[in-house]
Amino acid sequence: MKEIIIEKLYKIVKVPYEFLFKNAAPWEINISDFINLPDDSLGFHLGCFLLKYNLEPQPRLEEHDIYHVLTNTGVLVTDEINMQFYLLGNGKKSPFVFMVIATGLVFYPFRFKTFIESYKKGKQAHQFYHLDFLKMLPVPLANIKSTFNIY
């Protein structure tokens, strides 16, 4: 039941959030473009992630799925909350991050220790949330993770 409430909240705030905070142009790229990149690339792994979870790239929100790939995070509600704690630790401070974290603390207080562990991992990584990921799609995923100490 919690997951349904949280997913409804996400759908309610997604459109105004995009309008107010996401001014970047859509990437104009599809899953087959990602899959056609080298097998070790960030873009190829992004394509695999999208296929695995039966998702489509979200225009102007493409970097969100990149965060999932970089942090090796699934798509369950608790996975999303953990990832947002990781991103907060990495320095990302956006209304979406704070909304997800607040929701996580309200609905999943018993997971606080796990959330804090994700936050600490994000702190240990070099800041990456602000990178131009579109330009990095052909770069080997392992190189990015190693360079930015992402684990």
Side-chain angles (χ1 to χ4, degrees):
M1 183 65 173
K2 292 184 239 187
E3 288 82 7
I4 294 169
I5 293 169
I6 292 169
E7 287 177 21
K8 290 276 187 198
L9 285 172
Y10 170 73
K11 288 178 182 177
I12 291 169
V13 300
K14 181 182 175 206
V15 173
Y17 179 77
E18 277 183 64
F19 179 76
L20 293 171
F21 299 105
K22 293 295 181 179
N23 301 321
W27 287 4
E28 304 292 335
I29 191 168
N30 60 44
I31 293 175
S32 63
D33 296 325
F34 296 131
I35 295 299
N36 287 323
L37 289 166
D39 291 357
D40 64 345
S41 70
L42 173 62
F44 178 82
H45 285 274
L46 175 58
C48 290
F49 171 83
L50 294 169
L51 287 172
K52 177 180 179 180
Y53 292 107
N54 197 29
L55 300 172
E56 289 290 325
Q58 297 179 60
R60 299 184 344 170
L61 298 172
E62 295 91 350
E63 79 278 353
H64 181 85
D65 293 326
I66 295 278
Y67 300 145
H68 280 278
V69 172
L70 289 173
T71 62
N72 197 31
T73 305
V75 296
L76 297 175
V77 169
T78 52
D79 295 336
E80 182 68 37
I81 296 165
N82 270 313
M83 186 178 78
Q84 296 303 324
F85 268 93
Y86 188 109
L87 292 171
L88 180 66
N90 196 246
K92 185 171 177 31
K93 295 175 178 79
S94 73
F96 185 76
V97 168
F98 291 118
M99 181 189 75
V100 172
I101 286 172
T103 303
L105 293 172
V106 168
F107 286 99
Y108 299 96
F110 54 90
R111 296 231 173 166
F112 184 74
K113 184 177 178 182
T114 306
F115 297 153
I116 293 303
E117 288 171 11
S118 294
Y119 174 84
K120 288 177 182 177
K121 285 181 184 178
K123 276 257 284 184
Q124 291 173 347
H126 304 297
Q127 267 191 4
F128 65 86
Y129 68 87
H130 62 287
L131 298 172
D132 185 348
F133 293 113
L134 179 59
K135 293 179 181 172
M136 297 177 71
L137 292 175
V139 177
L141 177 61
N143 291 6
I144 297 169
K145 291 180 88 164
S146 173
T147 300
F148 289 92
N149 197 34
I150 301 170
Y151 65 97

